[in-house]
Amino acid sequence: MKTLLALSAVLALAGCASAEKTYLDNGEQGLSIDCSGEANSWATCYEKADASCAGTGYRIVGTDGTPQAKDSEKTLGVDVGNFTSRSVVVVCK
């Protein structure tokens, strides 16, 4: 039982990126990729974009995210309690 709880906690913290089809103002189809959370990074967004575009490459159309906390805003050097949001919109080549 303890092993199951520990495994559930690890999976909850692991996080993953999600991609949804979207249409740009010019009618072009793109992907909106959300890789928010403390367990993810901008690299997670770009890895998901590469995987979603089947290795053909992509063009970044826009990014949005929570700015990184300053050292003076952290508790013992860690950004505690702040949800980090980050997303990127790409168009596959």
Side-chain angles (χ1 to χ4, degrees):
M1 184 67 167
K2 289 181 182 181
T3 305
L4 182 60
L5 289 174
L7 181 60
S8 297
V10 168
L11 290 175
L13 292 174
C16 60
S18 64
E20 292 182 12
K21 289 183 182 178
T22 188
Y23 289 92
L24 307 178
D25 291 339
N26 64 4
E28 195 173 19
Q29 183 177 335
L31 291 170
S32 176
I33 301 171
D34 179 29
C35 45
S36 299
E38 293 298 321
N40 290 322
S41 65
W42 284 107
T44 306
C45 283
Y46 303 132
E47 289 168 6
K48 182 68 174 182
D50 193 43
S52 297
C53 291
T56 61
Y58 57 89
R59 175 174 46 97
I60 298 173
V61 178
T63 60
D64 187 31
T66 305
Q68 189 172 11
K70 298 175 186 172
D71 287 337
S72 62
E73 297 171 344
K74 295 179 181 181
T75 304
L76 299 174
V78 179
D79 189 13
V80 178
N82 292 324
F83 182 78
T84 303
S85 66
R86 60 183 78 76
S87 62
V88 63
V89 177
V90 300
V91 173
C92 295
K93 292 183 179 179

